[in-house]
Amino acid sequence: MKKFNIRKVLDGLTAASSSSSAAAQPGTPRENDVIQETLQSEHFQLCKTVRHGFPYQPSSMAFDPVQKILAVGTQTGALRLFGRAGVECYCQHESGAAVIQLQFLINEGALVSALADDSIHLWNLRQKIPAILHSLKFNRERITYCHLPFQSKWLYIGTERGNIHIVNVESFTLSGYVIMWNKAIELSTKTHPGPVVHISDNPMDEGKLLIGFECGVVVLWDLKCKKADYRYNYDEAIHSVAWHHEGKQFVCSHSDGTLTTWNVRAPAKPAQIITPHGKQPKDGKKPEPCKPILKVEYKTTRAGDPFMVLSGGLSYDTVGRRACLTVMHGKSTAVLEMDYPIVDFLTLCETPYPNDFQEPYAVVVLLERDLVLIDLGQIGYPIFENPYPLSIHESPVTCCEYFADCPADLIPALYSIGSRQKRQGYSKKEWPISGGNWGQGTQSYPEIIITGHADGSIKFWDASALMLQVLYKLKTAKVFERARGKEEKPNTDIVEEDPFAIQTLSWCPESRMLCVAGVSAHVIIYRFSKQEVTTEVVQLLEVRMQCEFSDVDSPDPGGEQTPTLPTPGASSSPQETEPPTQPSTGSNSSDGPRDNIPCLQVRSSPLKQSPGYQVELVIQLVWVSGEPPQQITSLAINSSYGLVVFGNSNGLAVVDYLQKTLLLNMGTTELYSPSEPYQRQPHSPRKARQPSGALCDSNDGSNTSEDRCKSPTSGSTSPCNSDDERKQKFIQKVKFKSRRFSKTVANDFAKMSRKISSSSEQKPDPEKRFQPWRSLTYRKRFCCMNDGKAEARMNQKGVCRTKSAPIPNAKDNSFSRSRSSSVTSIDRESREAISSFYFCESFARKTDSLVSPCVLVGTTQGCVMLVALSLPPGTDQRLQQPVGISSCGTLARLKGGILTMALLDSTGTLLPPSYESWYDPNASDEEKEKSRKRRPASPPSSQEGQDSQFAVLCSEKQAKVVAMPSQTRIYKHNITETSFVLRADVVQMAGTNCIACFCANGHIMTLSLPSLRPLLDVNYLPLTDMRIARTFCFSNLGQALYLTSPTEIQRITYSQETCDNLQEMLSELFTPVETPEAPNRGFFKGLFGGGAQSLDREDLFGETASGKASRSLAQHIPGTGNMEGMKGAASGVVGDLARARIALDERGQKLGELEERTAAMMSSADSFSKHAHDMMLKYKDKKWYQL
């Protein structure tokens, strides 16, 4: 029977509808029909690939000393497993409860996790994507501590009530053997001992279990006799217990900062009491109490003194001191300060056997925001160099871009430069967590991720082959002067903290040109060089951008007016581009508004620039008549033209970074031609701005005073007190404070917003309505503040934050927007911001027959405009003659803000912006000429009057394809009606191109080009998370990523091919390793019984000996990774091992059945023997004739 494929049917239906809609349009060129689209739905599938970065909010840790694998659990129920560099794995508990403890089944390829919801889970690590085999949910008791002895299948579980239950790890069933708290403590004790805080068996006697209760009581329990052998009492609460490997002593850490050492056979009093950080009084009194010692580990060595490692225990007078790890070795005590609070630590030892000399060689310290490994074998305890990409959050990520299929020479070039930046003083030994194997995937194209950070740094990461490794770090703050003290801090900043934070960036991989924009309204252009250079004077260009209002109440801008429409060859005058040497008002002036002052001061001393990215030009927007510059919302650089273009809510500016001049500084409304039907004029006057920079925050309910809503120059109340403004405030507050969106709510908000804003619209065009949440996504690139202080620091300083620069608040995953009190809501909607740029070589006007350099400009109101560029011919003339710029009017209009634009040729092939190949700017002139090659421009149109290009335009609501030069709309597709697109990119996929979109409702969609046929629509996220919404990046070849937490990057793929090959590409956690031999007992120990004593736990805890546990105590839940699931999921070497394991289990089951049959036969034989014996007794004294 032929297989029915519904996807192909849908493809046919959508293609037919698209064709019919295009054919219904008059003037549609028919030559478009010859473009054969090869992308189908079968090419797309969405799945997660890998997660990089530090585990967010870690809570527990475990280590397998044989497999050399580290596991970290988090407060959100996540598991992160680490092996050698490049071997990482992420899995998640469905409940999302915090992981309180982890226990490896050492060298078994399994892991037990205990969660805060009183459930335990068994994870199978023998497959590339770990899965849960069994789960057990406790109903009546809370889990506080777990212990799994080495090479044992019985797991001890301590509870809050003080009881200990025992679980069979293989079947995940409870044993009937229970240690009740009232049996463990003395009968004379009148109070409850508290929760169980420690369980461990004696290293030399598995039949003796050490139980620690919170109150300070420790009990040595005899498992066979079911009674307490010894009880050890201390006045202070216990936090942890550690054994000496000989089983004759153990150490307890207490809440008063003391360590007590006990001899097992002397329970009356401790053998030793020490306070490691306590001050010893001279009169012999007890030392002053210290902070609790949260954990202690006691490790022995053959050749020297034992190690005692502990966390906490500092004296209370060390207020403000950072968390410390203390290493006590013999008579020396080393206190190692950590950058963050300690969550947990583990001492790595040579042997997994607890009854042998431990020989510790390293300490793994899990901090709240870092993972540190300390080398115990070298003097000074140096740390190991961490090979994992755990420094993503070193400074909060504010900006990110993803580039797949980069030039092959980029990663080696960045790595060679970045290798010189590595710190010194690391341990010379190799990283000790070295388990697992890399994947064997066929994906070989280079991938680079760029992250911008709050401290102004930019990091380049090698993301090839599902790995992540830092290549190079660039510090942009070096360009500026730093305030040394509070009194020197300039008051021209528009942000209180993190003034160097990266807002957006534009990177050309081919030419290696980099352009970054910061929150202080500055742009820095970098060139890549392999040679060190010292820049005596940093090239600076100050730009004065303001929004002109024609109303009589508008304040005097205090500067020269920008021409309405410059001529093609016109450039700005020196008076406009160069700041005055002595401005009339300075930052310290109190008698007038600030004017012509940048937010940051560029460094005046010589700047030594190391090999790598070096500053070419700094562009700063300045204060205008008391108003701070608006933050930059979009940015683009083109190495072939030597131009940088950037825009904000005031307009756009074009800078020639070769000649270091400003070519164009124009308001958004001036880009429209005089007869433009879409042109929007300001609707209300804007009052003079308060010099103090007061706020009128539409999201802050506390800003209700009339003083903040009044203009200082007029006594009348600002329009922000009107009913419409209050409604608008309420809607915006709900929209931005809410974490979850539904279609119904979004639709209602859209209707309410349209009703309120319709009064301020001059022309109620259907494609021109005010769209809700437009301000969230006006930009192609995102900016986020992961620090919860972001909103507070923005509001304190009085930053003018328009709708074109939202800042997410990490605390509630919402956005904070602040505006000056004098800017009303009507003005806020009328100011159209620039949202995207695209350099191309196209037809600037309908009458053009040849292509020429152009810039496509997209705005937050959905308008796409063309700006033509006139470049001087030749290299010499390019450096001397100015570049001509002219506005060519509007190309198209879409619903919602423009997100991305691209250009296709007549065959549907993507026409990328032209670029200049990289050359070293510090090399000799001959080498420059050899390497400087400009990519050939697009071939000119062969036929006049025939469209030979297609402009692809995508906004928050729609996508359109427009034929060039006729500017006729060919295709149109409404992406979403109830939501809006957060991120859209034109990407390469399976040898052709498509549009990839991520919507606010969590849907990921792809559209074919040029017909805009839907190919993929998956509801990836059930609820909209603002961090994900603002950090989503698409790249070529079906790759995408987003920041899933402040410290982690999640990579996904929407490519069917990548999903099919994912099993091969992922790394393997479990590798077959022989378990080390047990320590030799020696002749005399074996003779006199001094060695380790084994225990047959099966006889004690099995069902035949202890009976069945209460069914109401815990509920068994079979996992998704059971044996049947393993048969289908396993593949490769791990699959062979898993199948061998399954075969062994099945063989074990058959052997068990055979054993049962043998037992039945033995029982039958015993019965037969008994009957035969009875008959023999009956007839033994009778003669033969008496029978």
Side-chain angles (χ1 to χ4, degrees):
M1 181 178 177
K2 187 178 180 181
K3 187 177 179 181
F4 178 73
N5 195 330
I6 187 66
R7 293 167 109 179
K8 291 186 178 180
V9 175
L10 291 175
D11 284 344
L13 289 174
T14 52
S17 64
S18 298
S19 300
S20 61
S21 64
Q25 276 225 340
T28 300
R30 300 305 301 174
E31 66 268 10
N32 178 65
D33 296 343
V34 303
I35 297 179
Q36 297 294 325
E37 296 182 2
T38 57
L39 278 182
Q40 301 295 330
S41 298
E42 287 79 7
H43 291 100
F44 295 91
Q45 183 182 346
L46 193 69
C47 67
K48 293 182 179 180
T49 53
V50 289
R51 180 173 292 200
H52 303 296
F54 181 77
Y56 183 55
Q57 294 179 337
S59 57
S60 58
M61 179 174 57
F63 181 71
D64 188 327
V66 179
Q67 287 288 321
K68 307 286 187 184
I69 295 291
L70 181 74
V72 177
T74 72
Q75 296 181 21
T76 58
L79 277 181
R80 294 287 299 280
L81 296 117
F82 299 93
R84 66 180 61 189
V87 176
E88 295 182 47
C89 184
Y90 160 79
C91 38
Q92 175 74 42
H93 293 91
E94 289 185 3
S95 65
V99 181
I100 59 174
Q101 198 172 352
L102 295 171
Q103 288 277 320
F104 271 104
L105 276 70
I106 295 175
N107 205 25
E108 291 290 328
L111 176 72
V112 174
S113 59
L115 306 189
D117 64 352
D118 310 311
S119 63
I120 57 174
H121 307 269
L122 178 64
W123 289 86
N124 175 29
L125 307 182
R126 292 174 175 259
Q127 54 196 65
K128 290 195 172 184
I129 302 177
I132 293 177
L133 294 172
H134 300 283
S135 298
L136 198 64
K137 179 75 166 65
F138 281 74
N139 298 322
R140 295 184 297 181
E141 297 198 50
R142 306 294 306 272
I143 298 174
T144 57
Y145 195 86
C146 298
H147 171 62
L148 181 65
F150 178 47
Q151 293 182 330
S152 170
K153 68 175 183 179
W154 297 97
L155 174 69
Y156 301 103
I157 297 180
T159 67
E160 194 174 37
R161 293 185 181 180
N163 304 323
I164 294 178
H165 301 276
I166 301 169
V167 175
N168 187 326
V169 175
E170 291 181 352
S171 61
F172 247 54
T173 55
L174 274 173
S175 168
Y177 192 112
V178 181
I179 304 174
M180 305 299 292
W181 67 271
N182 53 357
K183 299 281 184 68
I185 65 172
E186 295 181 6
L187 297 177
S188 60
T189 305
K190 297 181 180 180
T191 58
H192 190 278
V196 175
V197 296
H198 178 81
I199 307 171
S200 62
D201 48 342
N202 189 316
M204 286 295 181
D205 189 352
E206 296 176 351
K208 302 297 174 66
L209 197 68
L210 196 69
I211 306 167
F213 295 95
E214 189 181 55
C215 68
V217 175
V218 179
V219 177
L220 187 66
W221 181 263
D222 191 320
L223 291 169
K224 289 182 179 179
C225 301
K226 299 184 180 180
K227 67 180 183 66
D229 279 356
Y230 301 103
R231 297 181 178 92
Y232 314 87
N233 295 290
Y234 193 71
D235 295 336
E236 297 294 333
I238 289 177
H239 284 276
S240 69
V241 182
W243 277 101
H244 187 279
H245 85 276
E246 292 180 348
K248 297 178 181 179
Q249 279 187 339
F250 61 88
V251 178
C252 301
S253 69
H254 298 276
S255 59
D256 63 344
T258 59
L259 293 174
T260 57
T261 304
W262 300 81
N263 291 326
V264 171
R265 299 183 181 274
K269 65 176 183 179
Q272 186 183 28
I273 302 175
I274 60 171
T275 308
H277 297 285
K279 296 179 180 179
Q280 300 292 338
K282 295 180 180 180
D283 53 2
K285 293 183 179 179
K286 188 178 180 180
E288 294 180 1
C290 296
K291 296 177 183 178
I293 297 177
L294 302 178
K295 186 175 182 179
V296 62
E297 290 200 347
Y298 192 16
K299 303 299 179 182
T300 55
T301 60
R302 293 182 189 275
D305 296 318
F307 281 88
M308 197 173 289
V309 186
L310 55 100
S311 63
L314 297 177
S315 60
Y316 281 102
D317 58 1
T318 56
V319 180
R321 188 173 179 180
R322 294 186 293 183
C324 294
L325 187 80
T326 304
V327 180
M328 302 170 66
H329 184 217
K331 296 182 179 180
S332 68
T333 300
V335 181
L336 310 176
E337 284 195 350
M338 302 293 159
D339 293 333
Y340 305 102
I342 297 174
V343 176
D344 195 5
F345 74 88
L346 292 171
T347 307
L348 307 187
C349 302
E350 296 288 352
T351 176
Y353 293 94
N355 57 355
D356 194 8
F357 286 97
Q358 299 299 291
E359 301 295 342
Y361 59 89
V363 180
V364 185
V365 188
L366 179 64
L367 308 177
E368 283 188 358
R369 296 173 69 85
D370 202 1
L371 181 72
V372 178
L373 256 78
I374 300 167
D375 187 355
L376 295 179
Q378 293 188 30
I379 299 175
Y381 304 130
I383 65 172
F384 289 88
E385 185 177 3
N386 199 321
Y388 307 135
L390 303 183
S391 60
I392 294 173
H393 64 287
E394 186 178 13
S395 175
V397 178
T398 58
C399 170
C400 182
E401 287 298 330
Y402 189 10
F403 300 88
D405 201 13
C406 299
D409 59 342
L410 257 181
I411 291 178
L414 290 168
Y415 181 79
S416 64
I417 298 299
S419 61
R420 307 176 193 177
Q421 299 177 328
K422 292 185 178 180
R423 289 173 48 192
Q424 303 298 322
Y426 289 112
S427 171
K428 297 178 181 179
K429 298 179 183 178
E430 293 186 0
W431 183 254
I433 305 171
S434 56
N437 285 323
W438 295 322
Q440 303 297 324
T442 57
Q443 182 177 325
S444 60
Y445 50 84
E447 299 173 76
I448 291 179
I449 297 172
I450 304 179
T451 55
H453 300 265
D455 62 354
S457 62
I458 296 174
K459 291 182 181 179
F460 292 77
W461 305 83
D462 178 9
S464 308
L466 296 185
M467 297 184 186
L468 194 68
Q469 180 185 10
V470 66
L471 293 173
Y472 171 70
K473 181 179 178 180
L474 171 66
K475 297 180 179 179
T476 63
K478 287 184 176 180
V479 180
F480 302 101
E481 299 282 0
R482 287 182 177 269
R484 298 179 182 177
K486 292 183 179 179
E487 66 278 357
E488 295 183 21
K489 191 166 185 178
N491 57 2
T492 55
D493 291 355
I494 57 175
V495 287
E496 185 82 2
E497 296 181 14
D498 299 330
F500 311 111
I502 306 299
Q503 179 120 347
T504 184
L505 61 89
S506 176
W507 187 50
C508 177
E510 290 79 11
S511 66
R512 305 183 189 175
M513 291 296 299
L514 175 67
C515 187
V516 298
V519 295
S520 297
H522 62 273
V523 175
I524 310 176
I525 303 166
Y526 288 93
R527 282 188 186 272
F528 187 85
S529 174
K530 294 182 178 180
Q531 301 179 22
E532 183 177 299
V533 67
T534 299
T535 305
E536 296 295 331
V537 178
V538 177
Q539 295 291 325
L540 173 64
L541 184 65
E542 295 185 351
V543 179
R544 184 183 178 94
M545 294 184 72
Q546 63 189 48
C547 186
E548 298 294 343
F549 283 80
S550 57
D551 202 287
V552 293
D553 290 335
S554 175
D556 183 13
E560 295 187 14
Q561 299 292 327
T562 307
T564 304
L565 194 65
T567 58
S571 63
S572 56
S573 61
Q575 287 78 8
E576 291 178 87
T577 60
E578 297 180 4
T581 54
Q582 296 292 332
S584 57
T585 53
S587 59
N588 298 325
S589 174
S590 58
D591 56 352
R594 304 184 187 97
D595 195 44
N596 284 339
I597 300 171
C599 300
L600 299 174
Q601 184 178 356
V602 174
R603 181 170 176 165
S604 57
S605 58
L607 177 63
K608 183 180 179 180
Q609 303 196 71
S610 303
Y613 276 100
Q614 299 172 351
V615 178
E616 174 82 2
L617 177 65
V618 178
I619 307 168
Q620 287 185 291
L621 303 187
V622 297
W623 287 66
V624 178
S625 302
E627 284 216 20
Q630 300 296 305
Q631 289 189 349
I632 293 163
T633 59
S634 55
L635 177 72
I637 187 170
N638 187 279
S639 58
S640 178
Y641 307 152
L643 300 179
V644 166
V645 56
F646 57 90
N648 58 14
S649 59
N650 286 338
L652 67 88
V654 181
V655 171
D656 183 344
Y657 66 78
L658 298 178
Q659 299 185 23
K660 313 293 189 296
T661 57
L662 176 66
L663 299 176
L664 178 69
N665 181 2
M666 180 180 287
T668 311
T669 55
E670 295 171 320
L671 287 172
Y672 296 97
S673 62
S675 59
E676 188 62 54
Y678 303 119
Q679 188 174 3
R680 292 171 60 94
Q681 295 293 339
H683 299 92
S684 66
R686 183 174 53 168
K687 306 300 180 183
R689 193 179 171 86
Q690 293 187 35
S692 61
L695 294 172
C696 182
D697 191 348
S698 62
N699 287 333
D700 190 359
S702 62
N703 291 344
T704 56
S705 63
E706 293 186 0
D707 295 339
R708 293 195 171 206
C709 295
K710 288 184 178 180
S711 171
T713 57
S714 63
S716 60
T717 304
S718 173
C720 69
N721 285 330
S722 64
D723 292 338
D724 285 350
E725 173 62 14
R726 282 197 296 270
K727 293 177 184 176
Q728 189 70 35
K729 273 181 169 184
F730 170 74
I731 292 172
Q732 295 294 335
K733 181 178 179 180
V734 174
K735 285 190 296 188
F736 288 97
K737 295 294 181 184
S738 173
R739 296 178 60 184
R740 297 178 174 87
F741 296 98
S742 65
K743 293 184 177 181
T744 307
V745 174
N747 207 14
D748 292 343
F749 281 143
K751 292 178 182 178
M752 293 174 66
S753 300
R754 281 196 287 266
K755 288 180 182 178
I756 293 172
S757 61
S758 60
S759 60
S760 64
E761 296 284 346
Q762 285 188 344
K763 297 181 180 180
D765 187 85
E767 293 188 8
K768 192 181 163 187
R769 296 175 183 169
F770 166 65
Q771 300 296 329
W773 301 295
R774 175 183 288 119
S775 57
L776 291 181
T777 59
Y778 64 93
R779 279 188 297 149
K780 180 180 175 62
R781 293 167 177 83
F782 60 84
C783 169
C784 68
M785 290 290 183
N786 295 322
D787 194 345
K789 303 178 292 184
E791 182 177 359
R793 62 171 175 254
M794 293 298 176
N795 291 345
Q796 288 172 2
K797 189 63 183 176
V799 53
C800 178
R801 181 81 61 197
T802 68
K803 69 172 183 176
S804 59
I807 299 293
N809 189 344
K811 187 175 181 181
D812 57 359
N813 287 336
S814 62
F815 295 98
S816 167
R817 300 191 303 162
S818 305
R819 288 300 306 271
S820 167
S821 61
S822 60
V823 182
T824 65
S825 62
I826 302 176
D827 178 21
R828 185 159 53 237
E829 292 307 319
S830 65
R831 296 182 70 173
E832 187 173 9
I834 306 297
S835 60
S836 61
F837 294 108
Y838 186 75
F839 282 99
C840 59
E841 295 190 357
S842 184
F843 305 94
R845 298 169 181 82
K846 292 183 179 181
T847 57
D848 289 355
S849 59
L850 296 176
V851 296
S852 60
C854 301
V855 181
L856 292 176
V857 181
T859 71
T860 54
Q861 301 293 346
C863 199
V864 179
M865 291 164 282
L866 269 168
V867 175
L869 306 174
S870 176
L871 299 171
T875 305
D876 296 335
Q877 296 185 38
R878 172 65 185 85
L879 297 176
Q880 297 174 0
Q881 298 183 11
V883 177
I885 303 178
S886 60
S887 177
C888 301
T890 302
L891 174 65
R893 181 80 177 187
L894 285 77
K895 292 181 181 178
I898 303 299
L899 297 178
T900 189
M901 299 171 288
L903 203 63
L904 307 178
D905 66 9
S906 57
T907 63
T909 305
L910 184 68
L911 294 174
S914 60
Y915 59 84
E916 186 178 56
S917 298
W918 175 77
Y919 66 92
D920 197 324
N922 299 321
S924 62
D925 294 337
E926 294 181 1
E927 294 179 1
K928 287 182 183 180
E929 290 301 324
K930 288 180 182 179
S931 58
R932 289 185 69 169
K933 294 180 180 179
R934 182 174 177 270
R935 189 188 70 85
S938 304
S941 177
S942 58
Q943 298 180 10
E944 291 191 15
Q946 188 174 14
D947 293 327
S948 60
Q949 289 183 349
F950 303 100
V952 180
L953 315 172
C954 185
S955 72
E956 296 168 334
K957 291 284 188 179
Q958 291 179 327
K960 287 184 180 181
V961 175
V962 178
M964 303 291 285
S966 66
Q967 300 186 6
T968 307
R969 190 188 78 192
I970 304 298
Y971 290 105
K972 170 186 171 183
H973 177 74
N974 292 324
I975 300 173
T976 176
E977 293 292 341
T978 57
S979 184
F980 55 93
V981 180
L982 291 163
R983 176 82 187 213
D985 285 297
V986 177
V987 294
Q988 296 178 9
M989 179 78 177
T992 182
N993 308 290
C994 65
I995 300 178
C997 305
F998 175 61
C999 290
N1001 58 10
H1003 282 250
I1004 291 178
M1005 294 175 284
T1006 59
L1007 306 174
S1008 68
L1009 287 176
S1011 67
L1012 302 179
R1013 180 167 43 92
L1015 298 173
L1016 175 73
D1017 188 352
V1018 177
N1019 187 7
Y1020 175 64
L1021 298 170
L1023 298 173
T1024 299
D1025 184 278
M1026 286 303 173
R1027 180 181 291 105
I1028 297 173
R1030 298 295 292 165
T1031 59
F1032 209 100
C1033 291
F1034 288 106
S1035 190
N1036 294 329
L1037 306 174
Q1039 306 299 322
L1041 64 82
Y1042 56 90
L1043 211 67
T1044 186
S1045 74
T1047 63
E1048 295 170 293
I1049 288 177
Q1050 177 68 56
R1051 293 168 67 178
I1052 64 173
T1053 182
Y1054 50 95
S1055 165
Q1056 177 69 56
E1057 182 183 1
T1058 305
C1059 290
D1060 292 341
N1061 298 327
L1062 187 59
Q1063 281 288 337
E1064 294 295 326
M1065 296 163 62
L1066 292 176
S1067 55
E1068 299 178 43
L1069 288 171
F1070 179 80
T1071 54
V1073 180
E1074 288 291 333
T1075 303
E1077 291 186 5
N1080 190 2
R1081 295 175 63 184
F1083 174 75
F1084 290 103
K1085 285 187 176 180
L1087 183 63
F1088 298 106
Q1093 313 242 340
S1094 61
L1095 172 72
D1096 190 351
R1097 296 184 176 92
E1098 186 69 36
D1099 290 344
L1100 278 177
F1101 307 142
E1103 189 174 324
T1104 56
S1106 61
K1108 291 185 177 180
S1110 172
R1111 291 186 177 180
S1112 61
L1113 181 62
Q1115 175 187 1
H1116 177 263
I1117 305 169
T1120 57
N1122 54 21
M1123 293 301 175
E1124 293 298 325
M1126 284 172 60
K1127 289 179 182 178
S1131 65
V1133 178
V1134 176
D1136 295 337
L1137 291 170
R1139 283 189 286 272
R1141 177 85 177 195
I1142 295 168
L1144 286 173
D1145 290 341
E1146 291 174 351
R1147 182 171 177 266
Q1149 292 176 4
K1150 292 177 181 177
L1151 287 175
E1153 294 173 0
L1154 180 61
E1155 186 180 359
E1156 291 176 0
R1157 292 197 198 101
T1158 306
M1161 290 176 66
M1162 289 179 64
S1163 177
S1164 177
D1166 289 341
S1167 177
F1168 178 78
S1169 174
K1170 184 179 179 182
H1171 288 300
H1173 184 68
D1174 292 342
M1175 289 184 68
M1176 184 267 295
L1177 292 177
K1178 182 178 180 181
Y1179 297 109
K1180 76 173 183 175
D1181 294 333
K1182 294 184 179 182
K1183 304 297 181 181
W1184 62 271
Y1185 53 84
Q1186 292 178 331
L1187 296 175

